[in-house]
Amino acid sequence: MLPSRAVPRILAIAGSDPSGGAGIQADLKSIAALGGYGMAAITALTAQNTMGVSSIHIPPAEFLTAQLVAISTDIVIDAVKIGMLGDRSALSAVRAWLEETRPGLVVLDPVMVATSGDRLLQECAAEDLRALLPLADLVTPNLAELALLLGEAETPRWPVALDQAVRLAAVSGTTVLVKGGHLTGLECPDALVTPDGEVLEIQGRRVDTRNSHGTGCSLSSAMATVRAQGGSWEDALRRVKTWLAGALDSADSLAVGSGNGPINHFHHQQPAAADAATIVAAALSSDVLPWITAIRELDFIKSLSAGTLSEQQFGYYLAQDAIYLSSYARVLAKASALAPSEAEQLFWARASQNCLQVESELHRCWLGARSGADVPGPVTKSYVDHLLAASSQGTYAVLVAAVLPCFWLYAEVGAALHREFTDAGSPSTHPYAGWLRTYADEAFAADTRTAITYATAAGAAGSDLERAAMRSAFRYSCQFEVEFFDAPRVFA
């Protein structure tokens, strides 16, 4: 068990990126952003910008050794992150230092090929890099590097990548964090693979931005920093993925360069003069608006309002809603257990009980006469997994942010649906008249306002990093709400 430190001392061993987006510069930003004290030993100098690498200069290995010795003979190192090494002499120098110093925690990012396609490690040094793997506690390859380490072709298929990671972890005796950032599609999964073959997948959403320069460097440094603060690799990855998603979400705001720009490492730090509660309220309000519009534009919602929705799709939606509410009630109960005041405890406990009552009513009044899936569909499962992950972190602010969209989006869209239904004259022939009338519940609208107030207060009382985690959890749930309403069209 590694001792944990509030401010761990992290040594990054990597190349320099003068544009500031990757390499040592990204390492130091990540370490600082996650609460560590960063140190650096330079392995290579590059001439690069957001458009690519134009030149690489590798200083003598003796000078790299001198840097490492100077640091380790004076400062206790809590964790080491290793990035670009460049050539065999640098690899040998780092390996010799690791074997002599034996730092308590080593994260190896096997930098071999940049996202731009530029080769960052001489081909003749690949075998030496493989020999370095057993000295690391965690290895963080992208899909191209994972394949190169095994001498195989890169795969675009996640199951094949997981198999490659299992084999690499077994042969190296090291835990592998295989990253899905180079996959296509809306999802961006990562997985921790242990030497004994255990695979832990953590799902994530893909952020639509071209500004992702230095993502791998930043992730590995962040993992070293958070792990050195205590907890498990899983704990570290969940926290780092949340932070990294926020860094990618706000990357475009930096406006650095004309190519693949950097991520925003310090996205979670707000202006000191701003009122925290105002910031949280404004951020959540801004984040929710596009998802309200997206739901209103769904064929399912339009057809439900018009009364033209098929019985099959409606039955699927009701059945999935019942399954979801059962798990949602448990998550709300966890929010009650974590709540800091008696009023909040009672509110979330009552909300949990209401979910169970609604679920029972669904079965009694609606599902008995309709067919629908009795097992969770893909969207329902992913949404519930996201909520359970938020509840398992033990952070009240993040948990209430994760459950809030189910209140907020349901209330907003439901009220609009009921207005449309009422304006149309509430024809008695409408097949879903009884269902649409449930959207007019003023008590639920009042509960939604209360939930927003509690989430805003929790965010205001938290740290900048916690507020960033809240916003990420909130956005994930908003996305799942849209997908939940769209699921009947896809899966029914």
Side-chain angles (χ1 to χ4, degrees):
M1 183 70 178
L2 289 170
S4 61
R5 284 182 54 85
V7 183
R9 296 152 294 195
I10 314 298
L11 171 61
I13 306 172
S16 171
D17 172 9
S19 72
I24 282 292
Q25 287 82 351
D27 291 333
L28 293 177
K29 291 174 185 177
S30 299
I31 293 166
L34 273 300
Y37 174 79
M39 301 169 284
I42 309 296
T43 62
L45 305 175
T46 69
Q48 66 173 296
N49 53 30
T50 63
M51 304 299 290
V53 180
S54 58
S55 182
I56 299 176
H57 170 69
I58 301 176
E62 294 77 13
F63 184 69
L64 173 57
T65 298
Q67 295 178 73
L68 297 171
V69 171
I71 295 170
S72 59
T73 55
D74 176 51
I75 303 170
V76 175
I77 300 169
D78 298 301
V80 174
K81 176 268 167 89
I82 302 171
M84 176 186 176
L85 293 174
D87 67 5
R88 302 183 74 172
S89 62
L91 273 159
S92 297
V94 170
R95 181 176 181 177
W97 178 79
L98 287 174
E99 290 174 337
E100 180 177 351
T101 308
R102 295 291 180 182
L105 180 66
V106 177
V107 175
L108 173 60
D109 184 18
V111 177
M112 305 170 80
V113 182
T115 301
S116 61
D118 296 299
R119 185 88 190 192
L120 299 178
L121 180 69
Q122 296 174 358
E123 293 189 32
C124 62
E127 189 60 39
D128 296 65
L129 184 59
R130 294 187 190 98
L132 196 62
L133 299 184
L135 295 177
D137 298 284
L138 181 71
V139 182
T140 63
N142 58 34
L143 297 186
E145 292 158 350
L146 177 62
L148 284 171
L149 288 170
L150 290 168
E152 300 176 3
E154 179 182 354
T155 178
R157 298 178 54 221
W158 182 241
V160 178
L162 289 178
D163 177 69
Q164 289 181 329
V166 168
R167 288 186 281 115
L168 181 63
V171 73
S172 64
T174 303
T175 298
V176 175
L177 168 54
V178 57
K179 302 174 294 187
H182 288 182
L183 296 171
T184 58
L186 297 177
E187 298 301 315
C188 185
D190 293 314
L192 288 164
V193 182
T194 62
D196 60 6
E198 181 181 354
V199 178
L200 172 67
E201 290 189 62
I202 298 180
Q203 298 300 317
R205 61 183 173 88
R206 184 171 305 282
V207 178
D208 184 17
T209 178
R210 70 173 183 174
N211 296 314
S212 59
H213 184 48
T215 304
C217 305
S218 301
L219 181 144
S220 55
S221 295
M223 288 293 290
T225 305
V226 175
R227 182 68 174 84
Q229 292 170 339
S232 65
W233 284 123
E234 178 184 355
D235 296 333
L237 182 55
R238 291 190 185 280
R239 179 180 169 193
V240 169
K241 275 182 73 70
T242 298
W243 167 78
L244 191 57
L248 287 163
D249 271 327
S250 59
D252 295 354
S253 66
L254 293 179
V256 174
S258 55
N260 179 20
I263 66 174
N264 186 2
H265 295 83
F266 298 102
H267 61 92
H268 53 289
Q269 294 187 353
Q270 303 290 348
D275 176 73
T278 302
I279 291 173
V280 174
L284 295 180
S285 296
S286 173
D287 286 342
V288 80
L289 290 177
W291 301 106
I292 294 174
T293 301
I295 290 178
R296 294 291 308 281
E297 293 299 317
L298 292 176
D299 290 340
F300 176 88
I301 295 297
K302 291 179 178 179
S303 300
L304 178 63
S305 177
T308 58
L309 184 69
S310 72
E311 278 282 324
Q312 183 180 7
Q313 289 194 22
F314 189 58
Y316 181 89
Y317 168 77
L318 292 179
Q320 293 302 306
D321 197 31
I323 294 169
Y324 168 84
L325 286 171
S326 176
S327 296
Y328 190 59
R330 296 201 304 272
V331 174
L332 291 175
K334 180 64 178 290
S336 175
L338 294 174
S341 70
E342 183 178 358
E344 289 167 274
Q345 291 168 6
L346 292 174
F347 173 80
W348 296 118
R350 180 169 56 82
S352 174
Q353 184 62 36
N354 286 344
C355 282
L356 295 176
Q357 291 174 354
V358 171
E359 179 197 7
S360 175
E361 190 74 5
L362 280 174
H363 283 287
R364 186 175 67 85
C365 298
W366 293 90
L367 290 175
R370 289 176 169 84
S371 62
D374 57 359
V375 295
V379 175
T380 307
K381 184 179 185 306
S382 295
Y383 194 178
V384 169
D385 285 348
H386 162 61
L387 294 176
L388 293 176
S391 68
S392 70
Q393 293 180 8
T395 302
Y396 175 68
V398 174
L399 179 53
V400 296
V403 302
L404 183 58
C406 189
F407 282 85
W408 200 335
L409 289 172
Y410 186 97
E412 291 280 352
V413 176
L417 273 174
H418 187 262
R419 283 195 300 270
E420 293 171 2
F421 174 69
T422 303
D423 292 344
S426 304
S428 58
T429 57
H430 196 298
Y432 308 119
W435 179 258
L436 289 174
R437 289 190 185 98
T438 65
Y439 284 103
D441 185 4
E442 173 54 32
F444 182 75
D447 282 347
T448 298
R449 293 189 290 270
T450 300
I452 294 172
T453 299
Y454 286 154
T456 299
S463 65
D464 290 335
L465 193 60
E466 190 170 31
R467 283 191 282 272
M470 283 182 66
R471 196 170 183 184
S472 180
F474 181 77
R475 286 172 171 171
Y476 269 121
S477 292
C478 286
Q479 177 180 326
F480 279 124
E481 283 290 324
V482 176
E483 293 176 357
F484 191 88
F485 278 111
D486 193 41
R489 177 187 63 83
V490 180
F491 301 107

